[in-house]
Amino acid sequence: MISTARRLATLVATGLLFGCAQSVAPENPVDPAHSHRLDYPAKALHDGLMGAAVGFCAVAPDGASQCHLAYSSDPVFAAPAQAFLAGLRFGPGAGDAHRKITVRFVTSAAHRLGYIENDGTVILHGKAGTALKVVRYDCLVGLDAFVHDCAPAQTDTPDAIASTRIALAHLPQVPDFEGEQPLARRRVITMKVVPPGMDADNPFN
């Protein structure tokens, strides 16, 4: 059970490493096969404690990198996140002097609710044969990596509110950053309930 959850945590983390840089030239790809595994602290996993961490890496065109931790939602996640960052390996690419790396610690139960595509979009697993449902929330994303004080849901599909509220409350977000300083700010978060086989970005394909 613990090993399965740890593998999920690693997949969640490495899945979010791609697409963080904004440069036009190809970014240095993360090499998951040679990177350090993300270890979920055993007590946090047992207690169902979830959270997030953010680091920044100076990545050279040849893939050499130096990374450091800038934020952890809970002290228990700081050491494993730092070890994960130190063990990241990149392939060759354009290089990035300040690449943001987001790491999330998510239990297997919460992972089944859906996944965070980016800081403003969450994808939930819908039922086969249903249409795409979209619900938007305006929430304060706190330094604890969770949402607070959410405004009423905005949606044309009110039947999706209950499931999206549960996922929104349980999946850790990350706060906004100014430079390397985390800040608690309001953010519009789009929740998409996507049936199997549908492209969330192009539901008519």
Side-chain angles (χ1 to χ4, degrees), residues 11-35:
L11 289 172
V12 169
T14 55
L16 290 168
L17 299 179
F18 299 93
C20 292
Q22 302 295 320
S23 56
V24 175
E27 68 177 354
N28 300 66
V30 172
D31 180 0
H34 296 95
S35 293

Side-chain angles (χ1 to χ4, degrees), residues 39 69 72 74-85 105:
D39 289 323
L69 184 69
S72 178
D74 189 285
V76 73
F77 297 127
Q82 181 62 66
F84 179 75
L85 291 169
F105 295 84

Side-chain angles (χ1 to χ4, degrees), residues 2-124:
I2 290 179
S3 60
T4 300
R6 283 178 175 164
R7 285 197 297 272
L8 277 173
T10 302
L11 289 172
V12 169
T14 55
L16 290 168
L17 299 179
F18 299 93
C20 292
Q22 302 295 320
S23 56
V24 175
E27 68 177 354
N28 300 66
V30 172
D31 180 0
H34 296 95
S35 293
H36 188 283
R37 184 187 72 174
L38 177 65
D39 289 323
Y40 207 135
K43 187 176 188 308
L45 179 61
H46 179 269
D47 294 343
L49 179 64
M50 294 182 288
V54 171
F56 292 90
C57 297
V59 186
D62 65 0
S65 63
Q66 289 188 329
C67 302
H68 63 275
L69 184 69
Y71 158 80
S72 178
S73 62
D74 189 285
V76 73
F77 297 127
Q82 181 62 66
F84 179 75
L85 291 169
L88 276 177
R89 297 295 178 263
F90 297 88
D96 191 333
H98 201 238
R99 181 163 172 178
K100 181 182 177 184
I101 304 293
T102 297
V103 182
R104 288 185 171 88
F105 295 84
V106 181
T107 64
S108 55
H111 188 73
R112 285 193 292 270
L113 296 172
Y115 64 93
I116 297 177
E117 186 176 57
N118 55 56
D119 287 345
T121 306
V122 178
I123 305 296
L124 280 68

Side-chain angles (χ1 to χ4, degrees), residues 115 117 121-136 155-160 164 190-205:
Y115 64 93
E117 186 176 57
T121 306
V122 178
I123 305 296
L124 280 68
H125 311 299
K127 295 181 180 179
T130 60
L132 173 70
K133 299 175 182 179
V134 179
V135 184
R136 291 183 173 85
T155 183
D156 292 328
T157 53
D159 59 315
T164 57
T190 299
M191 315 285 290
K192 296 182 179 181
V193 185
V194 184
M198 178 181 288
D199 183 347
D201 296 318
N202 190 2
F204 299 106
N205 276 355

